[in-house]
Amino acid sequence: MSGMPEKGRAEVPAEVDVAIVGAGFAGLYLLYLMRQHGFSAVAIEAAEGVGGTWYWNRYPGARCDIESMEYSYQFDKDLQQEWTWSERYAPQPEILAYANHVADKHDLRRDVCFGRRVRSATYDEAARRWTLTTEQGETVTAPFCIMATGCLSAPNETRFDGEDNFRGPIYRTSLWPHEGVNFTGQRVAVIGTGSSAIQSIPEIAKQAAALTVFQRTPNYAVPAWNHPLKPDYAARVKADYEGLRARQRKAFSAAAFRFNPDAVATKTPPDERKAEYERRWAEGGLGFLAAYTDLMFDPQANATAADFVRAKIREIVDDPKIADLLCPTNTIGCKRLCVDTDYYKTYNLPHVRLVDVSETPIRITGDSVMAGGEAFPADAIVLAIGFDAMTGALMRIDIQGRAGRRLAQKWAEGPVSFMGLAVEGFPNLFTVTGPGSPSVFTNMLPSIEQHCEWITECLCGLRDAGESEIEVRPDAESDWQAHHQEVAGAHLRSGCASWYTGENIDGKPAVFMPYIGGFPRYVEACEAVAAGGYAEFRRG
Ligand code: NAP
């Protein structure tokens, strides 16, 4: 993929039935569905191409950590059969090529306006219409607006003290230059040790003359053991894709990890447990945490998995002091588990250094990164500092609902929504994988498809009934919110500061945002709403 603009719709239309923000996997599928069901639609997209997160995150080593055969659309059965993934975990360029293929195959680009960032969305109560305005000042008016803006799409915009003085380039993993970056012979500083850093550090180390990694909190990572996808394996999956999709639908994470509902870590003899962790480590991937049902509910159980991974880190890393620094002390899985290729091993290389910045904030000078009073010279800096997750992309649009009420006001103390799909006070507005839905705890593709289909069914229902407005009732929203927080409270994932809680962003209210009741339970709840005639909503 080049960075060249892709052909899309030249002009923002004045009026459509459905205005969509974003042309990532959600926006693309929505366009397809709207067309199928006879609604006119447009997607307004900030990028010059489709693909959403996979358009922007082009850093070295970027790849999905859900297996390729599962991280794909299932709505198009021919596409499932036609498309060939090359590796167990698809690299970013291949996922982007896949998004482009889908856009081409279904001729979706003609309804996408590229290179336009939506600045505001305002609801006119009398007209029952949303008006979206782009940064260029173009407007589109539509009875319905769907935010397909992604969960991890608004970069963390933290500015480091002295950042403007740095004379070399500063790159963000989340906004990587399309032409790529050659670090050969350079002294590179990487700030951050989350998933993006863990994927890019081993690749940057292959080029850089010296690499210094600045770590505030160590993360747990399990090996990917990525490999070319064996054609016979792909053929087996394709012969029964429906079987795989059915297993996904029943799985907590909408990914068919090997899950044993009867296995309890604290009731398993230590030798047997270790053998199970070894098997999972050898298999690689996020299924590691599916070993036992109590791992994410019982701190004692969780500690057995955490101890196992820490022992692995100490086995891999030669220098015990570096190994110590790399060993997380918090709950495994509390922050998002990472999946790596040679991450820990990279610290055995003589030109790679790890600097602990847990106690002292980073400062940047003209030619170095300062930590704890020491200067680390750098020719280039890579910021792998993550995202203003879940709400960032929505809050960066000035969304005004009924009576001019702003979403930013409503969410000042944290997001409140009905199932991550709708917000009281904002009629005819839908969010795909919004806060309050399982989204980031699941394989995103099935979750996206489920939301898009639910929204489409809802729109068709309104049309059939001759109705033009739908708004979630306040009690339904607060009931869901209470359920969502209750489920979160029982889960170890809500117990630490992370991007799930918004605490990675200065000043963001600490609220656990994604729904952790599991995909099947959530889908059942969505289906019950539709089957019950949307009683949770006021319609008319
Ligand atoms: P992240 O997990 O939020 O990691 C950001 C890192 O930057 C953390 O180590 C954080 O430290 C550090 N950091 C932030 N501000 C800092 C500061 N002021 N000083 C020093 N360090 C600072 O972000 P990410 O790595 O981009 O990943 C976000 C999510 O995107 C992942 O969890 C995953 O869900 C998704 N993702 C997926 C893939 C994949 O599919 N393979 C790849 C990349 C990302 P603290 O922990 O101390 O805050």
Side-chain angles (χ1 to χ4, degrees):
M1 270 297 305
S2 74
M4 293 301 289
E6 293 176 52
K7 225 171 142 219
R9 187 178 176 133
E11 306 281 330
V12 175
E15 250 189 275
V16 285
D17 296 329
V18 182
I20 298 162
V21 185
F25 281 123
L28 289 178
Y29 187 38
L30 282 168
L31 280 179
Y32 171 87
L33 285 170
M34 292 307 127
R35 216 180 270 167
Q36 290 278 314
H37 291 274
F39 294 104
S40 62
V42 67
I44 313 282
E45 168 57 58
E48 296 291 354
V50 300
T53 196
W54 299 105
Y55 175 92
W56 300 104
N57 286 266
R58 298 172 187 234
Y59 59 83
R63 65 176 68 246
C64 191
D65 55 18
I66 296 286
E67 296 196 17
S68 315
M69 299 298 289
E70 296 201 50
Y71 189 83
S72 53
Y73 286 122
Q74 55 194 296
F75 73 88
D76 179 340
K77 306 299 172 209
D78 293 338
L79 171 71
Q80 266 190 170
Q81 294 298 326
E82 281 156 27
W83 186 263
T84 304
W85 295 106
S86 66
E87 296 176 53
R88 178 183 184 186
Y89 297 105
Q92 172 271 332
E94 197 168 314
I95 304 175
L96 188 56
Y98 174 75
N100 276 283
H101 174 75
V102 174
D104 289 337
K105 181 176 182 209
H106 294 292
D107 188 21
L108 300 174
R109 255 182 266 276
R110 69 179 152 94
D111 287 326
V112 185
C113 293
F114 291 108
R116 271 85 153 200
R117 190 173 286 282
V118 173
R119 190 180 59 202
S120 65
T122 308
Y123 191 62
D124 178 336
E125 280 184 72
R128 296 188 164 188
R129 292 266 184 293
W130 281 94
T131 296
L132 276 61
T133 306
T134 69
E135 281 180 351
Q136 289 87 342
E138 301 142 308
T139 59
V140 56
T141 298
F144 298 97
C145 173
I146 309 177
M147 294 292 174
T149 41
C151 297
L152 292 155
S153 45
N156 174 0
E157 288 176 338
T158 296
R159 305 279 300 162
F160 289 88
D161 192 16
E163 197 177 310
D164 290 339
N165 302 329
F166 190 67
R167 288 191 287 275
I170 300 181
Y171 304 105
R172 281 174 192 272
T173 47
S174 52
L175 295 171
W176 203 256
H178 289 198
E179 63 280 13
V181 180
N182 185 351
F183 290 114
T184 305
Q186 295 192 18
R187 295 165 304 175
V188 183
V190 174
I191 301 177
T193 49
S195 292
S196 305
I198 280 174
Q199 288 187 329
S200 55
I201 284 166
E203 294 303 315
I204 296 172
K206 286 179 190 163
Q207 289 186 339
L211 171 61
T212 312
V213 177
F214 295 85
Q215 171 187 276
R216 191 164 66 180
T217 315
N219 257 314
Y220 295 93
V222 293
W225 307 128
N226 186 38
H227 53 71
L229 206 58
K230 295 190 182 80
D232 58 329
Y233 168 75
R236 267 202 317 280
V237 171
K238 286 182 180 184
D240 182 26
Y241 233 134
E242 274 318 293
L244 176 67
R245 299 307 190 183
R247 288 199 298 286
Q248 283 183 337
R249 276 193 288 278
K250 283 196 203 135
F252 188 90
S253 316
F257 299 134
R258 201 159 54 77
F259 187 72
N260 180 355
D262 301 319
V264 178
T266 48
K267 293 195 178 138
T268 306
D271 284 2
E272 218 178 281
R273 204 168 50 209
K274 181 157 186 293
E276 179 60 14
Y277 289 145
E278 287 289 0
R279 270 193 297 277
R280 302 249 171 189
W281 186 269
E283 278 169 21
L286 294 169
F288 182 81
L289 283 179
Y292 295 103
T293 50
D294 51 346
L295 285 186
M296 293 316 300
F297 294 96
D298 177 351
Q300 235 184 311
N302 188 277
T304 65
D307 285 345
F308 177 87
V309 176
R310 281 191 287 263
K312 284 289 181 196
I313 297 171
R314 294 203 162 91
E315 250 173 56
I316 300 167
V317 179
D318 297 339
D319 181 336
K321 285 204 191 93
I322 302 292
D324 265 354
L325 267 184
L326 287 168
C327 279
T329 51
N330 54 1
T331 306
I332 184 169
C334 193
K335 284 180 189 257
R336 168 70 148 66
L337 182 64
C338 302
V339 179
D340 80 292
T341 297
D342 294 341
Y343 173 65
Y344 294 120
K345 233 167 97 178
T346 301
Y347 293 97
N348 294 337
L349 298 172
H351 67 297
V352 178
R353 191 165 173 187
L354 181 67
V355 176
D356 173 20
V357 291
S358 57
E359 303 293 334
T360 48
I362 285 166
R363 197 158 63 76
I364 294 175
T365 67
D367 59 3
S368 49
V369 176
M370 303 277 302
E374 197 178 341
F376 299 88
D379 302 307
I381 298 175
V382 174
L383 301 181
I385 58 172
F387 300 88
D388 181 351
M390 309 289 303
T391 55
L394 293 167
M395 299 287 256
R396 288 175 193 188
I397 302 170
D398 181 14
I399 302 176
Q400 287 184 55
R402 195 179 282 292
R405 186 155 177 228
R406 291 193 147 86
L407 189 69
Q409 258 172 292
K410 170 147 180 162
W411 285 6
E413 305 300 321
V416 182
S417 87
F418 180 64
M419 306 183 82
L421 275 164
V423 184
E424 181 271 327
F426 298 80
N428 292 4
L429 177 83
F430 297 94
T431 52
V432 180
T433 63
S437 75
S439 60
V440 292
F441 289 140
T442 64
N443 175 1
M444 287 301 289
L445 266 287
S447 275
I448 283 171
E449 284 185 310
Q450 185 259 339
H451 264 197
C452 295
E453 288 163 13
W454 189 94
I455 292 167
T456 306
E457 194 186 329
C458 176
L459 292 182
C460 290
L462 283 173
R463 182 177 56 191
D464 294 348
E467 294 169 343
S468 60
E469 193 174 70
I470 184 162
E471 180 184 358
V472 69
R473 297 181 189 278
D475 53 335
E477 186 179 71
S478 47
D479 286 354
W480 180 259
Q481 200 60 22
H483 166 66
H484 163 43
Q485 292 306 330
E486 187 191 335
V487 177
H491 208 281
L492 294 179
R493 268 201 165 117
S494 63
C496 68
S498 69
W499 59 258
Y500 298 139
T501 65
E503 286 164 279
N504 65 324
I505 300 295
D506 282 345
K508 191 166 170 173
V511 173
F512 190 74
M513 296 181 285
Y515 174 67
I516 195 138
F519 185 69
R521 186 173 174 187
Y522 176 80
V523 173
E524 205 179 293
C526 287
E527 286 172 356
V529 173
Y534 306 93
E536 292 79 357
F537 290 80
R538 188 188 51 71
R539 299 167 59 176

